[in-house]
Amino acid sequence: MTSKISNKPHWAIIHPFQLRLQRGIETYVWGLSAALARSGVEVDIITWDGPLTVPEDVKAAGVQIFAMPNFRYFEGFFASIYY
């Protein structure tokens, strides 16, 4: 078994509401992740699944999105951290 090791920097951005809400911070995360990916950084966004789609420029930059299922039990707990 061989493993692929990349010399590129790798960033993971964790933001639960990225695909659920469209506010200032979500717009900032899309722009930051696309700019980092275009500059050669491997970027992953880890978020809850939601109704919004990934912008085309972010897809074209090569940002990977990992949408996790939303557990409503934890939603209220985590939402209070962001508000």
Side-chain angles (χ1 to χ4, degrees):
M1 183 171 174
T2 62
S3 63
K4 179 183 169 187
I5 298 175
S6 173
N7 290 331
K8 290 176 152 183
H10 195 132
W11 284 37
I13 299 172
I14 302 169
H15 184 53
F17 303 105
Q18 195 65 30
L19 295 175
R20 297 180 60 92
L21 300 172
Q22 190 65 39
R23 303 171 297 180
I25 189 64
E26 287 80 18
T27 303
Y28 178 78
V29 168
W30 288 134
L32 175 65
S33 60
L36 285 168
R38 283 192 296 270
S39 71
V41 177
E42 292 181 21
V43 181
D44 298 336
I45 296 178
I46 303 166
T47 184
W48 282 335
D49 199 10
L52 300 177
T53 60
V54 179
E56 290 301 318
D57 63 323
V58 175
K59 287 180 187 177
V63 175
Q64 289 190 321
I65 308 296
F66 294 95
M68 305 298 162
N70 177 18
F71 297 104
R72 294 191 82 39
Y73 175 80
F74 294 109
E75 187 174 317
F77 173 77
F78 285 116
S80 65
I81 294 171
Y82 289 93
Y83 291 99

